[in-house]
Amino acid sequence: LLDQLHEIDSNNEEIFIQRANILSKNDDHQGAVEMLYQALQVAQDSLDIYSLLGMEYLFMDDFERAKNNFTKCLQRDESDYSSLYNVIYCYEFLEDFDGAIIFLNDYLERNPYCQVAWHQLGKMFWNKDELKEALAAFDFAIISDENFLGAYFEKGRVLERLGKYNEAIESYVTTLSLDNPTSHAYLRIGKCHERLG
């Protein structure tokens, strides 16, 4: 069917994308990448294609190329949080926390109220054991979105690590009021009380 459609309209990127999907489902990720590059040559809008390329490279554990393609998505649409998460995932997998911090700081220069980016920045600082910087980043995530449950939870973890158990408890308790309480939050609250003696 795709061959027939290709004869009718050889410049339709959707034909190449569908071929890539079929190849990908058959675990031929390199073949899928080749099809997606052909789609790029005829596409009017390349955003979705770069995202698909990023996913194919993830399947092949080529995190550098995956990161580059998801970055291209963000260059075209800075509110594409799925691509933002994927870029940071690649940095994390490559254990390039400094690179991720540089990338996120650059992104935040242009999008200073992006709670997702602040949250991810906090996690990168956490990975580097730079707790004060992590705490500041989680605070900015909360300022950007006062209902951001993940930021409160991560802030609680940092405060707990810093030995500020009462403040950590406050942060964990806030998560309980924002969403259905989780056993993990209760566990962390219990651990803080235990350390307070």
Side-chain angles (χ1 to χ4, degrees):
L1 179 60
L2 288 169
D3 286 341
Q4 290 170 5
L5 290 169
H6 187 78
E7 285 177 27
I8 298 165
D9 184 4
S10 61
N11 287 326
N12 186 332
E13 76 246 33
E14 196 57 41
I15 294 168
F16 296 106
I17 290 170
Q18 291 311 316
R19 285 185 194 274
N21 285 336
I22 292 167
L23 290 166
S24 182
K25 285 186 169 94
N26 287 318
D27 290 326
D28 182 0
H29 300 295
Q30 188 56 50
V33 163
E34 289 165 17
M35 279 296 139
L36 290 169
Y37 277 116
Q38 287 185 47
L40 270 180
Q41 292 171 9
V42 297
Q44 301 290 321
D45 179 19
S46 52
L47 182 67
D48 289 340
I49 299 170
Y50 283 120
S51 181
L52 291 169
L53 275 165
M55 292 309 296
E56 291 304 320
Y57 282 122
L58 280 182
F59 290 136
M60 294 190 285
D61 293 336
D62 188 340
F63 295 98
E64 196 62 49
R65 284 197 173 116
K67 179 183 68 164
N68 293 340
N69 280 283
F70 290 125
T71 300
K72 287 176 183 173
C73 293
L74 280 173
Q75 288 166 350
R76 285 157 177 77
D77 178 9
E78 290 200 324
S79 65
D80 180 359
Y81 293 155
S82 175
S83 289
L84 180 60
Y85 278 117
N86 283 325
V87 167
I88 300 308
Y89 173 78
C90 292
Y91 274 112
E92 271 188 296
F93 201 90
L94 294 165
E95 294 185 4
D96 182 7
F97 304 124
D98 290 327
I101 289 167
I102 291 165
F103 176 86
L104 286 164
N105 278 324
D106 182 54
Y107 181 87
L108 284 162
E109 282 288 319
R110 297 184 308 279
N111 304 280
Y113 298 105
C114 177
Q115 72 275 17
V116 172
W118 282 115
H119 181 246
Q120 293 299 309
L121 183 62
K123 287 173 72 178
M124 293 306 107
F125 282 126
W126 169 270
N127 288 334
K128 291 186 57 155
D129 209 30
E130 295 178 10
L131 301 180
K132 287 183 179 159
E133 291 83 353
L135 189 59
F138 294 133
D139 277 334
F140 277 115
I142 291 165
I143 289 166
S144 301
D145 178 2
E146 63 185 21
N147 295 315
F148 192 0
L149 186 139
Y152 284 105
F153 191 83
E154 297 293 340
K155 180 180 177 180
R157 286 177 60 201
V158 174
L159 289 165
E160 189 177 345
R161 188 81 119 4
L162 289 169
K164 298 180 178 184
Y165 301 116
N166 285 320
E167 291 176 58
I169 290 167
E170 279 179 44
S171 206
Y172 291 135
V173 167
T174 303
T175 69
L176 302 178
S177 65
L178 291 174
D179 197 15
N180 293 330
T182 65
S183 59
H184 196 56
Y186 282 120
L187 173 68
R188 297 307 336 144
I189 292 167
K191 291 282 185 193
C192 288
H193 280 296
E194 195 173 74
R195 289 189 178 103
L196 284 167

